[in-house]
Amino acid sequence: MASSALSLSVHHQPSQFFFPCPQCYTNWKTNSSSLFISDGDKRSVTCFSSKKKIGFMDQILDYIEGGPKLRKWYGAPELLPKDGSLSEEDMSPEEDEVRDAVLVTDGDNEIGQMIILALIIKRTRIKALVKDKRVAMEAFGTYVEPIAGDARDRSLLKKALSGVRAVICPNEGFISNIESWKGLQHVILLSQLSVYRGSSGVQAIVTANARKLAEQDESLVMASGIPYTIIRTGLLVNVPGGNQGFNFKEGCASQGKLRKEDAAFICVEALDTVPHKGLIFEVVNGEDKVMDWKVCFAALIEKSEL
């Protein structure tokens, strides 16, 4: 990890990592980069900061690239042989049938990586589809089970879905072969379909293919028979999240914006509320503060069933 990255001083075995909480966010964004460590027994939170200002994505990269150091803190074994090659064991199909993992369908996507980090914080077993397995292993360490290859490959998808209870799709075009979804408990899809449909002129031409993929993804999810949550966002923007409220009104997504960090956070929070059949809602940044996401999702489900 670079010297300008997060400065840590751990006095007790940390039980959980946090991104900056909303109360401390303003100070974090303007004065420091911070990592919050909580003692699970005492529920206390300590903030460790460095004075140098760096952007959110720089902090994400510092965190990801700190994987080897994090593994040493937790006593995890080395992941790769010195020559960097993958063993036959690494390439063999998984046999674990316990469904306790969450699959992120695009671990190379910017929001996908934010989702992975948020899942790591929650101590979730994570699997991710990636382009380069070795790079992902070096980046995330033992926190993530990376699977490299074409998501349209049935054998690869079967391996990826082994032991998975829920799937989070942060980007369009990664959903295929829903016949392999048997046994899934929840599918969460982050969709910009409202933005694409609201585009006109040159922008509509530029986003035509993305719109087609988003429409296809939503249709496949709704036809799968698996409980689903489709989160239709406004235009996703690269601005640090955590310090704004939200707007869930119908029609808001075609005109509003949502910060990528907030989008990732909502995807992870959605895991805790599985609708009976399906939930589709729009969300952008706004004035409404969400104090309890379980209550928020329950209200959205109730509204959708009216």
Side-chain angles (χ1 to χ4, degrees), residues 13-219:
Q13 178 71 13
S15 62
Q16 191 171 14
F17 285 86
F18 290 92
F19 287 114
C21 62
Q23 293 84 353
C24 299
Y25 184 85
T26 301
N27 180 64
W28 166 72
K29 186 176 78 169
T30 57
N31 299 318
S32 66
S33 61
S34 306
L35 184 64
F36 288 75
I37 296 178
S38 169
D39 187 315
D41 297 326
K42 298 181 179 180
R43 298 186 181 277
S44 62
V45 177
T46 305
C47 173
F48 301 95
S49 304
S50 65
K51 294 182 179 180
K52 184 173 180 180
K53 299 179 183 178
I54 61 174
F56 175 74
M57 284 311 301
D58 288 329
Q59 295 178 58
I60 290 289
L61 290 172
D62 284 344
Y63 186 95
I64 292 172
E65 291 169 359
K69 289 186 179 180
L70 293 176
R71 289 195 292 276
K72 288 181 181 179
W73 295 343
Y74 281 89
E78 292 296 327
L79 295 174
L80 297 174
K82 292 182 179 181
D83 62 1
S85 62
L86 298 175
S87 67
E88 290 299 321
E89 182 180 355
D90 293 325
M91 302 299 292
S92 63
E94 295 185 25
E95 298 180 357
D96 183 12
E97 294 301 324
V98 176
R99 290 190 173 271
D100 60 354
V102 174
L103 173 67
V104 179
T105 61
D106 187 359
D108 301 303
N109 176 268
E110 184 179 18
I111 298 179
Q113 291 188 353
M114 293 179 183
I115 289 171
I116 288 172
L117 293 177
L119 291 171
I120 290 173
I121 289 168
K122 285 181 170 285
R123 295 182 176 276
T124 304
R125 180 186 167 207
I126 309 162
K127 303 180 77 172
L129 293 175
V130 298
K131 293 178 181 177
D132 190 318
K133 180 176 179 180
R134 183 178 181 278
V135 170
M137 292 178 74
E138 290 179 343
F140 294 110
T142 55
Y143 300 112
V144 178
E145 301 170 53
I147 300 170
D150 190 340
R152 294 169 295 184
D153 184 325
R154 291 193 176 189
S155 60
L156 178 84
L157 192 58
K158 181 178 180 181
K159 175 183 176 182
L161 290 170
S162 175
V164 169
R165 64 180 176 87
V167 172
I168 299 179
C169 309
N171 195 21
E172 61 268 350
F174 278 79
I175 295 178
S176 63
N177 190 23
I178 61 174
E179 293 84 2
S180 301
W181 289 11
K182 184 178 180 181
L184 285 180
Q185 302 168 16
H186 196 187
V187 176
I188 299 168
L189 174 64
L190 193 67
S191 173
Q192 291 193 83
L193 184 57
S194 295
V195 176
Y196 301 143
R197 286 176 174 172
S199 300
S200 60
V202 175
Q203 189 62 28
I205 297 174
V206 172
T207 60
N209 186 57
R211 172 176 174 169
K212 181 179 179 180
L213 291 174
E215 289 175 337
Q216 175 181 291
D217 286 352
E218 288 201 12
S219 296

Side-chain angles (χ1 to χ4, degrees), residues 228-250:
Y228 62 85
T229 299
I230 297 177
I231 305 168
R232 288 181 178 169
T233 74
L235 180 66
L236 295 170
V237 294
N238 279 316
V239 179
N243 63 341
Q244 267 200 317
F246 301 94
N247 178 3
F248 298 95
K249 292 181 180 178
E250 185 176 350

Side-chain angles (χ1 to χ4, degrees), residues 249-270:
K249 292 181 180 178
E250 185 176 350
C252 68
S254 61
Q255 301 296 324
K257 299 179 180 179
L258 182 66
R259 302 178 181 201
K260 290 183 178 180
E261 180 188 353
D262 291 334
F265 179 79
I266 293 172
C267 287
V268 174
E269 289 298 314

